[in-house]
Amino acid sequence: MSVTDTPESAAQHDSETALGSVPALRSPTKVVSFVERVLVELRHEALAARYVTDLGQEGEKTIWCRVEHTELDIDAEYVQIRDDPRVGVAVEPCSRATVRKRLCQCLDHDRTGRIDVRPLAGVSMGDD
């Protein structure tokens, strides 16, 4: 599922993350600081935060982005799009506070998962 209908491909953006990956040492303070930086980036640019986990959920990916940068007709500030090969794609409207909470939870509970921030036009749920 592509989030937007643009000719750009995710392959063009694989090395163009706006922020580096999560801090190696995942102290609560560093996690919160990283998540706040992600939220600032999402607010000002057409970017998506993409979370990929390797914890027994093969291929599951979640992205968060501002609704205004999508073609989705949802009455919310942000949207969470989850792609789980077992159940398909689910789209959920959410607030900035919810995005912050969920990103922190992901990073607190999954030491193998990663988050990257990339141009929204280049995000496809089928990417690695």
Side-chain angles (χ1 to χ4, degrees), residues 5-25:
D5 294 322
T6 67
E8 295 182 55
S9 71
Q12 292 173 305
H13 300 291
D14 281 344
S15 63
E16 295 179 22
T17 56
L19 297 171
S21 195
V22 296
L25 300 173

Side-chain angles (χ1 to χ4, degrees), residues 38-94:
V38 168
L39 289 170
V40 167
E41 293 295 325
L42 293 182
R43 180 156 187 89
H44 298 293
E45 301 289 335
L47 300 172
R50 185 180 66 154
Y51 170 70
V52 181
T53 184
D54 296 326
L55 280 182
Q57 300 159 343
E58 186 134 346
E60 181 177 334
K61 295 171 186 67
T62 305
I63 69 165
W64 291 271
C65 61
R66 288 182 57 87
V67 172
E68 70 184 74
H69 299 301
T70 72
E71 294 181 6
L72 300 170
D73 186 21
I74 295 176
D75 186 24
E77 187 177 11
Y78 289 88
V79 66
Q80 172 180 290
I81 303 170
R82 183 175 298 150
D83 184 9
D84 185 334
R86 299 168 295 168
V87 297
V89 176
V91 177
E92 178 184 341
C94 54

